[in-house]
Amino acid sequence: MLLLTNISQLLTLRGSNSARRGRELDDVGLIEDAAVLCAGGRIVVAGKQREILRHPWIKKHKRKIKEIDCANKTVLPGFVDSHTHLVFAAPRLIDFEKRIAGASYQEISAAGGGIRSSVEGVRKASEAKLADGALKVLDQMLASGTTTVEAKSGYGLNLDAEMKSLRAIRRAAKQWPGAVVPTLLGAHVVPAEFKDKRDDYVRLVCEKMVPEAAKKQLAQFVDIFCEENAFSVEETEEVFAAAEKHGLKTRAHVGQFTACPLESLLNFGPASFDHLDNLLEADLPKLALSNTVATLVPGANYFLGHSRFPDARKLISAGVAVALATDFNPGTSPTSNMQFILSLACTHMKMSPVEAICAATINGAHALLMGDRKGSIEPGKDADMAIFDVNDYREIAYWFGGNNCEMTIANGNVVTG
Ligand code: NIG
Ligand code: FE
């Protein structure tokens, strides 16, 4: 049992059975002078300290309770990073320098760089080595306050290497105290050897990778990069249909560089559409009416040196449920730190700190269909929390480039600090 006391600001994010939209994003469920009691890895109660200290459990289990004095710091739910590409062998430094010299992401990709240049390394690497790399990043994430992470394959691009990537995710997850949600991204790009037979590759994804990932329970979601030079809307429909057939949930990268029509994809009820830098006007109300979360990943815009960022204000005003994630990956967003993403959301997308925190916690949880367990500090939910060494929660989005997370708690256990 764990009792957190002397919390100056507790952000509970309480009261959302579904992802927050519009003005619902303006409330972090702030309680001042608060305490939180946890038992068996779950939250028992959270509220004003003077009330919590009178809770009957505290008297009854006095000896079993470990108290953490939060010394007037700020406590919030652990971040839910709902979009990451954790499994790869090496950073992509050549692409980095080419971009600095003026080439664009798409030009580099068309010339054989980009995603394709990570494939050989993953195919050659052992599962253990890939797992080590993933675990190293997961640990950095934990240290910066993230307790739930979605992790995609997507740099193997054949059956063996995609399954190896998913097994590496599972292996890393077993050694990590937070929660990891695995996603098959076999349809990231068409690999070089299928250049002239893309239909065969889509068939491989649908008929081999998806069934195998489902059968071995290696993935919960199937993702696809729906974009010019990656996969078309029709191909995305095929991959979504295969996922549905095998009982896996769907999500997709859409609108990163060009907009595409979303209606036929929305019919599959994807948990999330990610990036959405570009969106057809007609799709905005359709997205707003759906339960699909728009996961914005401004780290990619930052790292590619774009001056344009996703139009978070437009999405929020239209009533779209918005989440924030790192998109940690070697090509477009090599950051593991959600605090930096909050900073970008505020400075470049004009989200308020409150909106950004909602998007990075409870809405991230809903983007992973885990809103009933993660993303808020409420009785019965998993006791995943981050203690920040700041007096005012807005500072979490204000200081940038560092790490003000002092302690992370996952399933009621102190895991850093
Ligand atoms: O989310 N856009 C597709 N996937 C990644 C980039 C992957 C890469 O370049 O390695 C993204 O930005
Ligand atoms: Fe991505």
Side-chain angles (χ1 to χ4, degrees):
M1 273 187 192
L2 196 66
L3 176 66
L4 270 58
T5 54
N6 299 321
I7 303 168
S8 162
Q9 297 192 332
L10 174 68
L11 315 187
T12 63
L13 282 295
R14 63 191 167 191
S16 315
N17 292 326
S18 55
R20 295 185 181 204
R21 299 159 193 275
R23 303 298 303 276
E24 293 165 2
L25 288 161
D26 292 338
D27 177 20
V28 282
L30 175 67
I31 303 175
E32 293 186 315
D33 305 317
V36 182
L37 177 64
C38 321
R42 305 278 179 87
I43 307 287
V44 175
V45 61
K48 283 275 184 200
Q49 174 149 321
R50 57 174 192 285
E51 286 157 25
I52 301 296
L53 294 182
R54 286 201 296 263
H55 195 277
W57 279 50
I58 293 193
K59 220 177 190 170
K60 210 164 135 203
H61 301 285
K62 212 167 190 164
R63 288 222 192 87
K64 287 192 222 148
I65 291 177
K66 173 180 167 178
E67 183 177 338
I68 294 178
D69 181 346
C70 295
N72 287 321
K73 290 171 187 165
T74 297
V75 176
L76 70 157
F79 292 123
V80 178
D81 190 348
S82 57
H83 179 147
T84 84
H85 306 250
L86 275 190
V87 182
F88 54 88
R92 237 185 268 145
L93 302 174
I94 295 172
D95 291 7
F96 183 46
E97 288 189 324
K98 278 189 183 159
R99 254 194 329 277
I100 293 165
S104 73
Y105 180 79
Q106 291 115 300
E107 284 161 359
I108 294 168
S109 171
I115 295 164
R116 285 182 195 87
S117 58
S118 289
V119 170
E120 200 189 323
V122 167
R123 288 183 182 174
K124 281 192 182 146
S126 67
E127 180 190 318
K129 181 170 176 270
L130 294 173
D132 282 352
L135 186 58
K136 194 172 152 198
V137 179
L138 285 169
D139 283 339
Q140 287 170 6
M141 290 173 164
L142 199 65
S144 58
T146 299
T147 50
T148 298
V149 175
E150 184 259 12
K152 307 175 199 295
S153 64
Y155 297 114
L157 306 187
N158 64 27
L159 181 64
D160 279 359
E162 284 297 306
M163 296 307 119
K164 178 175 66 180
S165 300
L166 291 173
R167 287 195 307 274
I169 291 170
R170 184 169 65 186
R171 193 192 271 234
K174 278 192 182 143
Q175 299 169 65
W176 195 63
V180 177
V181 179
T183 294
L184 170 69
L185 177 56
H188 204 176
V189 284
V190 175
E193 66 273 22
F194 281 87
K195 191 167 158 270
D196 300 317
K197 35 179 191 166
R198 54 180 305 120
D199 291 354
D200 290 353
Y201 187 68
V202 174
R203 204 166 314 129
L204 177 72
V205 172
C206 294
E207 293 177 8
K208 292 279 187 304
M209 293 186 194
V210 171
E212 184 77 1
K215 189 171 132 212
K216 300 255 167 75
Q217 298 189 350
L218 283 168
Q220 290 177 29
F221 287 95
V222 173
D223 193 350
I224 178 165
F225 186 17
C226 181
E227 183 63 62
E228 276 175 13
N229 302 324
F231 295 94
S232 67
V233 172
E234 292 71 29
E235 289 164 339
T236 305
E237 288 169 22
E238 284 177 50
V239 171
F240 275 12
E244 202 166 69
K245 179 172 164 203
H246 292 277
L248 298 179
K249 307 280 187 225
T250 51
R251 54 200 316 108
H253 288 67
V254 298
Q256 182 174 11
F257 300 106
T258 52
C260 66
L262 298 178
E263 183 161 6
S264 66
L265 303 181
L266 280 169
N267 291 334
F268 289 90
S272 175
F273 280 147
D274 302 42
H275 285 279
L276 284 169
D277 295 80
N278 302 282
L279 176 67
L280 300 175
E281 206 58 46
D283 281 337
L284 190 60
K286 294 175 193 158
L287 194 55
L289 282 173
S290 76
N291 287 324
T292 302
V293 174
T295 301
L296 309 181
V297 291
N301 301 65
Y302 166 81
F303 188 71
L304 296 183
H306 292 173
S307 50
R308 199 161 72 82
F309 282 69
D311 197 342
R313 289 265 52 96
K314 190 171 181 179
L315 292 165
I316 292 170
S317 332
V320 175
V322 165
L324 286 168
T326 59
D327 192 10
F328 174 82
N329 77 76
T332 66
S333 189
T335 181
S336 56
N337 190 341
M338 286 292 281
Q339 296 162 60
F340 178 55
I341 301 302
L342 297 194
S343 165
L344 287 176
C346 295
T347 57
H348 289 262
M349 304 198 301
K350 307 301 172 201
M351 289 173 73
S352 67
V354 179
E355 289 173 329
I357 289 170
C358 290
T361 54
I362 189 66
N363 276 14
H366 283 291
L368 295 180
L369 307 177
M370 291 176 102
D372 56 335
R373 283 175 52 202
K374 304 289 183 189
S376 67
I377 302 175
E378 294 178 275
K381 281 198 150 183
D382 294 345
D384 294 347
M385 291 176 277
I387 303 176
F388 273 76
D389 186 10
V390 294
N391 296 316
D392 185 307
Y393 67 86
R394 291 171 296 185
E395 292 179 65
I396 297 168
Y398 171 89
W399 305 107
F400 81 94
N403 177 18
N404 286 309
C405 178
E406 192 175 88
M407 184 184 282
T408 310
I409 293 165
N411 294 307
N413 297 310
V414 176
V415 286
T416 65

